[in-house]
Amino acid sequence: MAAAFNGFGQKAIPFLKALDFHQSREWFLENRDLFERDLRDPFGDLVETLSERFMALGLGLRGDRKKSLFRINRDVRFAKDKRPYNRHLSAILSPDGTKMEQGVFYVHIGLERCFAAIAWWQPGPELLLALRNAIAKRPAEFRSLVAALKKNGLELDPDGCMKRTPRGFEHIAEPELAAAIRNRHFAVRHAIEPADIYGAGLVDELVDFVMRAKPLLDWGRAIEGFAALGSEASLPRRFSHHFR
């Protein structure tokens, strides 16, 4: 049994602020115990508590403290910004428990904001084409998805939408469908009030969000299954810290 999530430590956000200020390995090592006690270990509890709840509800999303959490260290090999540490900590729960799947739950605790998401984030070209074809060829289903999300207080994230309609879809005249086809990803987000990360009630809040986002999960998974049967399955890209 996973340890029950009882909230992040009171110094979780102050730790991120101080780490962002110092941005040094020496400072991080001196304060590693604080990082583990107030941020990393509670995050592991959150992931495993959510995994149990999601699986009990048949949502097909799971994870654990070893595989689901992203490192606090930044990959600076090809980055202009050489600061070694992130301003956030994040995790993914996915159908197979790894970070390599699509149709995932993502949770992000950071300085600028805290949020959760359900997403197909920058899927590979074959899967992205299948999602776009579903919009173009079965517009009624897509409109039903949008309506269901709106009823649940959610909407598809327009961030990163292409400026031009991709080749092969120029015939789509309806503005809402054309705009959706220009998406590079399909995601919904839920803003988390920073004060709410310190209590056990965060679990219920996130479960409620995922239940409200379930229409997107169902829509995307049906398309993935159809694409796989049609030999159009894509190799999903790693869903990572680009979602912020």
Side-chain angles (χ1 to χ4, degrees), residues 61 103-106 116-120 186-189 209-210 213 216-217:
L61 294 167
V104 302
F105 169 82
Y106 175 80
I118 289 290
W120 275 262
F186 294 85
V188 291
R189 304 194 193 212
F209 160 63
V210 175
L216 178 59
L217 278 175

Side-chain angles (χ1 to χ4, degrees), residues 163-223:
K163 293 182 179 180
R164 296 184 179 181
T165 303
R167 185 178 301 175
F169 295 94
E170 297 88 348
H171 62 287
I172 302 298
E174 295 89 337
E176 62 171 322
L177 298 181
I181 285 170
R182 291 197 298 271
N183 281 338
R184 291 188 173 93
H185 59 259
F186 294 85
V188 291
R189 304 194 193 212
H190 167 74
I192 301 170
E193 290 295 329
D196 291 343
I197 73 170
Y198 300 110
L202 179 62
V203 172
D204 288 337
E205 178 181 338
L206 295 178
V207 170
D208 173 74
F209 160 63
V210 175
M211 292 303 296
R212 290 187 291 117
K214 191 173 181 293
L216 178 59
L217 278 175
D218 294 342
W219 179 78
R221 286 174 177 171
I223 294 166

Side-chain angles (χ1 to χ4, degrees), residues 11-72:
K11 295 184 179 179
I13 298 300
F15 170 85
L16 289 174
K17 290 180 179 178
L19 178 62
D20 186 53
F21 174 79
H22 291 280
Q23 285 291 341
S24 77
R25 184 173 182 271
E26 292 75 17
W27 187 91
F28 179 79
L29 292 177
E30 289 175 1
N31 293 274
R32 189 181 186 95
D33 289 346
L34 173 60
F35 166 68
E36 293 175 353
R37 184 187 71 239
D38 280 30
L39 192 58
R40 191 198 64 182
D41 290 350
F43 217 141
D45 295 341
L46 176 64
V47 164
E48 293 182 353
T49 301
L50 286 172
S51 183
E52 290 183 356
R53 293 282 299 273
F54 290 164
M55 296 305 291
L57 290 167
L59 294 170
L61 294 167
R62 59 190 176 94
D64 61 57
R65 65 182 65 242
K66 292 183 178 180
K67 295 180 181 178
S68 299
L69 271 67
F70 287 103
R71 290 165 56 86
I72 191 74

Side-chain angles (χ1 to χ4, degrees), residues 23 70-88 90 238 240-242 244:
Q23 285 291 341
F70 287 103
R71 290 165 56 86
I72 191 74
N73 306 73
R74 297 181 65 246
D75 184 351
V76 299
R77 289 174 298 173
F78 307 106
K80 292 181 179 179
D81 183 353
K82 298 298 183 182
R83 289 179 296 177
Y85 295 102
N86 285 307
R87 296 163 57 85
H88 64 272
S90 57
R238 179 185 173 101
S240 70
H241 292 224
H242 294 296
R244 60 178 183 265

